[in-house]
Structures are given as structure tokens and as C-alpha cells.
Amino acid sequence: MYAILDIETTGGKFNEEGITEIAIYQFDGHKVTDQFISLVNPEREIQPFVVNLTGINSNMLKNAPKFYEVAKRIVEITEDCILVAHNSSFDYRILKTEFKRLGFPFKRKTLCTVELSQQLIPDMESYSLGKLTRALGIPMSDRHRANGDAMATVKLFKMLLNKDLDKVIVKDAIKIEKKSNIATNLKDIIEQLPSDTGVYYIHNVNGEIIYIGKSNNIRKRIIQHFTGTNSKSKKIQRLVSTVTYEKTGSELAALLKESAEIKANKPIFNRALRRTVFTHALYSSTDKNGYVTLFIDKSNREENPITTFSNRASAKHFMFKAAEDYNLCQKLTDLYDTKISCFKYEVKECLGACINEEPIESYNERVHVLIEKFSYANKDMLVIDKGRTIEEKSVFLIENGIFKGMGFFDLNHQINNRAILKSLITPMENNRDTQHIIQSYMRRNKRLKIVDLK
């Protein structure tokens, strides 16, 4: 007997989600023999992106039963059944978490229709539920709602059972829950860790730091270290004695601290991260006609770059988008190799700088706007990001294009006072790595607050 289910959740931090809707179909391999479908009041906030995805909002759940009120029915309908779900590890984890909050264990065998589909229907373009069912001609309604997704999974599973002629794969795919292979001391370490953004430090029995990392969810990342099977993870599991951490709130703060502290401490398992974190950069020059040109090259040139990139591909991607956003000539941005006009000119999308038609001043003005936006050379400014609590922000000080350090301030502080500002800042080294980290983060996060100090 199978219990085929789908769960919708509030979203949020790992192991802090709550169930908003659940649908379970009891299936005997031929037909549905029982079903349970219900909205659930999660007693916590629903993330906005989840509301947009599922259409389930807090008003719909005000009068819905809480999990403890439906827990008995869930136990009954899944008793002596194998749980089946599309990505069963997620649904099973959520159920176990909810039962754990009530103080009860919840253990079932599980089957994952993603894994079964990959084995029984190879070479599909996608194994997401929506795309897979569409490709297989399985009708589906109410996508991203528990009932619609669960019923689609029933139909998919029925098809998979039919395709497994020898029944070998289905038998072998049943995953009896394994006993945790995390040692007791590692479990104790995990229990003490937060699910927040920050930097973590793995220490050996002598207190020495053997690994430094950053994560948007420290606890989840340490669990990955402690359950990993690669060579580095196994060595860390064998040597770890304790894990300390520092919350930063801001990912930029975590990236900068990680980079600086790896350089300072040189942990034995951070060797790969001590290498330069960027390889290519954007540079400018002036051609014989007076136009400012832009080009991508390796980051080891002597002149200062406008901004830097982790690899050539990301640099090229940036340059194509920048050329479009700022209406720049493909020839003068090194994107189109030609001795005559560029391709964009031929389709009336370039104003003709490539053949000296556009006035030099108007073209160069647009280039300088781009340079001004993506370079902080000679600038005095603050970059303001999230803090460790809702009452504070993180701040990063740049003076005359040089990164001076970072700190945190209470929202009541007046940080435009230089003396107060400098008292909040922890000095940090300015180097090519910190410049790359800051520039890359600023490119990726358009909502950062930038305060000009001049």
C-alpha cells in the first residue's frame, strides 16, 4: 500500500517551515482507496514568493485546522504505507519536523518519483513535476496546490509501476530510513548552531581553526559538512571538535570576513579558497579617434580595472547586457570584431560610433556613466546592507576608492557624522579580493543603499 502525498509550506529557513496545505491519496497499486486533503494553519508567516506561487495566503488559513488537529488523520492514512512523493525527501522532512514539534517520532519508508522517473524514463528534458507530466501527457490541474500536485503524482506513479515490468527498480528504490550516520558529538554541535547568515569556524581538539566558511544558513551548511562523503568532508568529520560562528546578517559582510580570515588564519582545509577569487576584469582606453573603448582581459594587468569577474563567461555576459543598457557600440566594447560598422549599426541599434558618425562627446558620456556606476575608484561612499537583527544595518566604508572596513549600526545612529561612523567601523585590509567581492556583490544586489559622502 502506498500513501501518495504533496505538501505546500510557508517557505523560510531550513527546518523552520510550516505546512499550509496537505493532500494524501492512499493507493493500492491500482486505485485510490482513501484520501485526505486539508488546508493547515501553520501558525507562522507565509513568505511572499510562496503566496505568489501557490495562491495560499494567511487569510485563507485563519480558520484552518492546526497541524496537531490533523496529525492523527495523517498517521492513520499513512499507517503501513510507503510514502510516495515527487522529491520525497522534502515532504518527508517537513512531516517529520511537524511531528517532532509535537514531541512524536514519525517514520515511514519512502519512494521518490523524481528518482524513479530518472531510472524508468531516462533522457527527459526536465524531471520537475509540471514539465514531466506535460511531456508524458498526464493531465494536471491546480499546479502548486497540494491536491493538484498529489493527484498528478498518483497518475505518474501508476505509469511508473506499469513501466517497471520486472518490479526490480521499485523494490530497490524503496528507501528505508537510515539511522543517522552523524556521530553523537556532531549532532550536539549542530543543535547549537543558528540558521542565519554568517561566518563559521571549524576547530580541532586543540582549538585550532581547520576550516572557515560562510553561508546564508550556517546550520544547514554544517550539516552538509557532517554528512558529506567526499575526502574533505570525511577529514573534517574526523578532526572537528567544535564549531564557532559569527552572525553577519549581510552576505557581503560574510564574504569579506571569510576572505580576510582565511588569509589571516590559513586553515588546512581552505587551500583552494586562498587562491585569487577572480580571473578577468573590465578595462577602458581611448582609441585614436577619441572614443572611450571598453574591453575584457585577464585581471593581472598593471592598470586598475573598472570592475572584476570570477571568469571570462560572466565578464562577457555583463558586457553584452551593459552594451544594451547603455546603448554602446559592440565594436567599441570588444564584442564584435570588425574593421567596418558593427552589427547593431546595420540593424539601426547603434548610433554609429564604430564609423565615427556619433559625436565623440555624447558617446563617451554614456561610457562614463557606466564606469561611474560600476567602479568606486576615487569615491567616498557607504554601502548599507542588512544587519544581524531588524533593528540594525551593516555598513561598509569606502574612502577615495579604498575599502576601509565594515561595521554595524543601530537604526537610531546618525552615520553621516564621520567621527561616529569611524568609531563603528572595524578596519579591514583593502586588496584586489575585497574590491572584487564588493563590486561583484553590488552588481548582483540592485537594492543596496549607497550613500555618497562627498
Side-chain angles (χ1 to χ4, degrees):
M1 190 71 82
Y2 305 93
I4 302 173
L5 75 152
D6 186 79
I7 289 170
E8 302 299 334
T9 72
T10 57
K13 291 178 181 176
F14 185 80
N15 275 357
E16 293 182 17
E17 311 101 316
I19 294 176
T20 58
E21 188 176 36
I22 185 166
I24 305 174
Y25 287 94
Q26 198 179 76
F27 182 69
D28 65 3
H30 306 283
K31 64 183 184 299
V32 172
T33 54
D34 194 3
Q35 66 182 54
F36 173 66
I37 302 158
S38 179
L39 291 169
V40 180
N41 184 340
E43 302 181 88
R44 64 197 66 214
E45 184 184 354
I46 307 173
Q47 297 296 308
F49 81 91
V50 175
V51 175
N52 291 333
L53 183 70
T54 65
I56 299 171
N57 59 52
S58 298
N59 285 334
M60 293 168 61
L61 305 178
K62 278 182 182 175
N63 299 317
K66 297 178 174 64
F67 184 78
Y68 74 85
E69 296 175 281
V70 298
K72 183 182 177 184
R73 178 71 174 118
I74 293 169
V75 170
E76 288 172 349
I77 197 170
T78 63
E79 193 83 56
D80 299 321
C81 289
I82 297 166
L83 293 188
V84 179
H86 206 68
N87 188 14
S88 61
S89 60
F90 171 81
D91 298 79
Y92 187 39
R93 175 179 67 80
I94 296 295
L95 274 178
K96 287 197 298 180
T97 300
E98 289 281 17
F99 276 101
K100 185 179 179 182
R101 288 174 187 147
L102 299 179
F104 296 101
F106 182 80
K107 292 189 176 183
R108 299 289 186 268
K109 297 175 182 179
T110 64
L111 264 175
C112 178
T113 52
V114 175
E115 294 175 8
L116 284 176
S117 298
Q118 288 168 341
Q119 294 172 59
L120 290 164
I121 319 172
D123 304 319
M124 297 299 291
E125 183 179 330
S126 170
Y127 289 92
S128 72
L129 185 60
K131 290 182 180 177
L132 183 61
T133 51
R134 195 179 309 123
L136 296 172
I138 295 172
M140 187 175 191
S141 60
D142 289 334
R143 180 78 177 104
H144 297 302
R145 290 295 298 266
N147 186 30
D149 287 5
M151 181 46 72
T153 307
V154 170
K155 293 169 183 173
L156 172 62
F157 186 60
K158 190 183 281 191
M159 180 183 288
L160 293 170
L161 286 175
N162 291 335
K163 284 184 177 292
D164 188 23
L165 299 177
D166 298 324
K167 306 302 174 197
V168 174
I169 294 178
V170 170
K171 290 174 186 172
D172 290 346
I174 295 172
K175 298 184 290 186
I176 299 169
E177 185 181 17
K178 298 174 186 171
K179 291 195 173 174
S180 173
N181 57 359
I182 303 179
T184 304
N185 66 314
L186 303 187
K187 283 184 184 175
D188 293 340
I189 290 170
I190 290 167
E191 287 300 318
Q192 307 303 315
L193 298 174
S195 300
D196 297 296
T197 299
V199 181
Y200 58 89
Y201 312 86
I202 299 178
H203 304 258
N204 64 15
V205 70
N206 298 319
E208 298 163 338
I209 298 173
I210 58 174
Y211 187 81
I212 296 174
K214 80 94 200 164
S215 179
N216 290 326
N217 186 327
I218 294 171
R219 189 170 186 269
K220 184 177 178 181
R221 185 71 188 96
I222 292 297
I223 290 171
Q224 290 170 345
H225 284 303
F226 287 178
T227 57
T229 56
N230 60 37
S231 174
K232 186 177 82 172
S233 293
K234 287 182 176 178
K235 287 175 183 174
I236 287 174
Q237 292 160 24
R238 193 168 63 250
L239 294 174
V240 61
S241 175
T242 188
V243 176
T244 58
Y245 62 88
E246 187 173 337
K247 293 184 188 180
T248 61
S250 159
E251 186 185 0
L252 176 56
L255 286 163
L256 289 168
K257 285 185 70 65
E258 177 195 39
S259 175
E261 291 175 1
I262 287 171
K263 286 182 174 69
N265 292 280
K266 299 180 173 58
I268 57 172
F269 294 120
N270 281 110
R271 290 199 179 109
L273 294 177
R274 279 184 241 139
R275 296 196 301 269
T276 303
V277 294
F278 59 93
T279 60
H280 287 76
L282 177 64
Y283 299 93
S284 68
S285 64
T286 304
D287 70 9
K288 62 182 181 182
N289 298 311
Y291 291 99
V292 177
T293 64
L294 300 172
F295 60 97
I296 302 294
D297 201 357
K298 290 187 176 175
S299 59
N300 55 5
R301 295 170 66 101
E302 286 188 8
E303 63 260 49
N304 287 329
I306 296 165
T307 189
T308 51
F309 304 90
S310 299
N311 52 58
R312 185 172 185 81
S314 63
K316 279 289 185 184
H317 175 77
F318 168 83
M319 201 63 254
F320 272 109
K321 189 170 188 316
E324 187 174 322
D325 291 347
Y326 292 86
N327 195 16
L328 303 181
C329 173
Q330 287 186 327
K331 180 180 176 181
L332 301 187
T333 51
D334 201 30
L335 297 173
Y336 191 75
D337 187 16
T338 179
K339 291 191 172 16
I340 53 173
S341 60
C342 72
F343 172 75
K344 289 253 182 177
Y345 179 78
E346 302 301 323
V347 295
K348 306 277 191 281
E349 292 181 12
C350 170
L351 298 176
C354 43
I355 51 173
N356 302 327
E357 274 189 11
E358 182 179 3
I360 294 168
E361 295 77 13
S362 64
Y363 182 81
N364 287 354
E365 185 179 343
R366 295 199 302 280
V367 178
H368 286 307
V369 170
L370 180 149
I371 292 172
E372 177 75 11
K373 179 172 176 62
F374 292 104
S375 168
Y376 57 75
N378 306 316
K379 287 185 184 175
D380 281 6
M381 67 180 195
L382 300 177
V383 179
I384 297 173
D385 200 8
K386 291 184 288 190
R388 296 161 296 190
T389 66
I390 31 173
E391 292 86 21
E392 75 170 13
K393 295 284 187 184
S394 56
V395 59
F396 308 84
L397 174 63
I398 293 165
E399 287 186 328
N400 196 28
I402 296 171
F403 172 58
K404 292 293 187 178
M406 56 161 279
F408 298 92
F409 68 94
D410 189 283
L411 294 179
N412 296 320
H413 273 132
Q414 295 296 314
I415 59 162
N416 50 4
N417 181 308
R418 286 278 182 124
I420 293 176
L421 176 62
K422 292 209 169 179
S423 70
L424 299 172
I425 294 293
T426 300
M428 294 180 75
E429 183 184 351
N430 178 68
N431 54 49
R432 290 167 72 99
D433 284 345
T434 58
Q435 289 171 9
H436 168 72
I437 290 167
I438 293 168
Q439 289 173 328
S440 177
Y441 191 80
M442 288 173 67
R443 282 199 308 271
R444 288 185 288 111
N445 295 270
K446 304 289 191 280
R447 295 183 182 178
L448 284 175
K449 184 177 179 183
I450 309 296
V451 179
D452 192 343
L453 293 176
K454 284 188 177 175

